[in-house]
Amino acid sequence: MRVDVLGVQIDAVTLAEAVRTVEGFIAEGGPHLVATANAEMVMAAGRDRELARILADAALVVPDGAGVVWAARHLGQPVPERVAGFDLAEELLARAATEGWRVFFFGGAPGIAAKASEAAAAKWPGLTVAGVRDGYFAPEEAASIAAAIRASKPHILLAALGVPKQEKWLAAQATTLAVPVSMGVGGTFDVMAGVTRRAPLWMQRAGLEWLYRLGCDPKRIGRMMALPRFVMRVLAAKKH
């Protein structure tokens, strides 16, 4: 079942259900796009028709973010839980190690994807890394990068290019990539590589991960302004 949050259709799934859904995608073959929708992404989709279309066509859109979970509940269409993109990525890596799925790590600053893949391989023995590529490239390189990823035959492609670049790139290259599951993972590689840290568990559970991120990187204040606008939009939508 999907619920509507300010025009974005979000799958009402648990983390375990999301993993099972991805398993089904891999069994079917590609391509399937998995998106992790938080308040910032929902607000971006409201002003970016291309992103809105991509999310509407995505095979799975999980409720990543306390704001989206709150909004769904406030609008009378609750989702069972928050499915953080980082948690979903880790669960898929764990499953990949046991199922023999090949995973490609694409994005981040030079060296970050490699460090993230090494940390993942150490954490989940048996994980097969299909390939690694940083996220710094010229637009004219997109096709050759997609072809190289396809040639490595991954079952899962994790793309850390930031929103909405990662979703747009994955959608534009979907046919060339022919990867069963492609998923935008934002800053996940930075955490895996040990460059940044996630908020303490109590802050995650209290819906305050955004505050922790802001404290670690005050330059995010501009992006964080989407949160109060998101709340106001949801409150207005409730009245109607």
Side-chain angles (χ1 to χ4, degrees):
M1 182 182 75
R2 283 192 159 183
V3 303
D4 186 300
V5 176
L6 301 184
V8 175
Q9 300 297 313
I10 295 173
D11 289 280
V13 293
T14 63
L15 176 58
E17 288 168 345
V19 172
R20 286 197 296 272
T21 299
V22 170
E23 289 175 355
F25 293 161
I26 292 174
E28 291 173 17
H32 300 84
L33 176 64
V34 177
T36 58
N38 59 14
E40 288 181 64
M41 184 183 284
V42 170
M43 291 298 287
R47 59 181 181 272
D48 185 332
R49 290 186 178 181
E50 182 185 359
L51 177 60
R53 177 187 57 77
I54 290 169
L55 294 179
D57 293 341
L60 178 66
V61 182
V62 300
D64 176 1
V68 168
V69 174
W70 165 80
R73 183 174 64 249
H74 189 76
L75 294 171
Q77 304 179 84
V79 295
E81 66 182 18
R82 178 192 178 200
V83 180
F86 182 88
D87 294 334
L88 179 55
E90 287 222 312
E91 287 293 325
L92 293 179
L93 288 167
R95 293 288 291 146
T98 59
E99 296 295 327
W101 301 335
R102 296 165 57 82
V103 182
F104 198 105
F105 290 71
F106 172 45
I112 296 298
K115 287 182 179 179
S117 69
E118 291 164 6
K123 186 172 183 178
W124 295 288
L127 176 67
T128 300
V129 177
V132 172
R133 174 65 160 82
D134 69 54
Y136 285 64
F137 58 92
E140 58 269 22
E141 295 179 271
S144 62
I145 291 171
I149 292 173
R150 176 175 182 159
S152 72
K153 299 182 178 179
H155 296 88
I156 298 173
L157 167 60
L158 301 180
L161 303 175
V163 176
K165 181 179 180 180
Q166 59 198 18
E167 287 74 24
K168 291 183 177 183
W169 195 90
L170 292 172
Q173 301 297 330
T175 302
T176 301
L177 289 166
V179 177
V181 175
S182 297
M183 175 176 160
V185 295
T188 291
F189 292 172
D190 288 331
V191 178
M192 286 183 165
V195 175
T196 61
R197 298 180 63 182
R198 286 192 81 187
L201 191 57
W202 71 267
M203 293 189 81
Q204 294 179 42
R205 289 174 173 167
L208 296 173
E209 194 162 9
W210 63 272
L211 183 61
Y212 179 84
R213 290 176 181 173
L214 181 59
C216 293
D217 183 8
K219 295 192 297 294
R220 294 174 64 97
I221 187 66
R223 292 173 54 187
M224 291 300 177
M225 291 309 295
L227 298 179
R229 291 196 293 270
F230 175 79
V231 170
M232 295 303 293
R233 286 278 308 277
V234 171
L235 293 175
K238 176 69 172 181
K239 292 178 182 178
H240 293 90

